[in-house]
Amino acid sequence: MNYVKRALVLTALIAFAGCSGGGSGGTAAEDQVYLIKFPHVTAPGTPKGQAAARFKTLAEERFPGRVEVEVYPSSQLMNDDDSLEALAFGEIQMIAVSLSKFDRLTHAFQVFDLPFLFPNLDAVEAFQYGPAGQELLDELTDRGFKGLAFWHNGMKQFSAPRPLLSPEDAAGLKFRIMESDVLQAQVQAIGGNPQKMALGEVYQALQTGAIDAQENTWSNIYSSKFYEVQPYIMQTNHGYIGYLVAVNPQFWAGLPDDLRSGLEEVMAEVTEWGNDQAEAINIQARERVDAEGRNEVLDLGPEQLALWQEAMRPVWEQFANDIGADRIAAASGASSN
Ligand code: LMR
């Protein structure tokens, strides 16, 4: 099924699951073991991979014999698109999907994709922990996704077959992007040709030339080995990748109260732990790419970055109505603090 058709079917299915109360929501029994299947798409060493593994460890340590968490990293079980559908239907119980990929379900998360809105993870966090950010956790509860937390990956960099020093250098290149209309507009704004694609397909697409370039965090560039097939990597920090950690609302409501609140405490602890080390993991990933010695890594300076910022700025106006001026103001206000 092509991407657009699949997206429409998924949207309709999820709307149905949200209305019909799809999900497993079990009756609480003393001896019941609750299974949390938690698939995700990145490698175990990434910020998300490490946080998911820690959630499993702490949850099972605190609630022995009452909860079992099965983490499936690296798209082993399914890609993100399929996991949205599977969560809404209660086939899996937990996800941590990139905020960009909720695009067809809500416009609210598009704020996270606006280019050059957040200068760093501190600015993202100031927004996420403020009232405008916290209300986003509940944005999709009615549609089958109860948000528990936001997890960071990090800031995005471009990689390409040639140096991208100014936006004009991107003209005509086919860029893989996540499933987001804002990212599509961002690439169009620099004259590129955006292609929405699942993470698990990107390496081969770069290798065969089906696409030319991509944007991602250092930890994804390293763990997905994009550095093997992309000679140039530009440190631009032009955008953010982070996740909504969500559960199926019926499943969550069906947990015994003590278990649910205990798991929410574990999630809060893991979120703080994971978000505190996300930046260091990305710095280390860059060092590992450097150590491989296969790439030219270009650190763009403030004057060069100003040109990128200017070229991409129209994207803000394009999506202002959909996202909401107040939300954008809250996010940029948080960034300037
Ligand atoms: C991507 O598809 O590039 C990202 O969503 C991967 C991730 O989950 O960090």
Side-chain angles (χ1 to χ4, degrees), residues 158-160 162-166 169-170 173 175 234 298 300 308:
F158 281 120
S159 69
R162 59 183 188 232
L164 303 182
L165 296 174
S166 77
D169 297 328
L173 291 179
F175 281 84
M234 279 55 62
L298 304 165
L300 270 52
W308 288 85

Side-chain angles (χ1 to χ4, degrees), residues 12-25:
L13 284 174
I14 288 173
F16 173 75
C19 299
S20 66
S24 52

Side-chain angles (χ1 to χ4, degrees), residues 41-42 48 98 101 153 176 178 199 216 220 241 243:
V41 299
T42 63
K48 176 162 61 182
S98 168
K101 297 181 185 175
N153 184 329
R176 178 269 171 169
M178 294 183 282
L199 180 70
N216 227 310
N220 284 347
I241 293 186
Y243 311 105

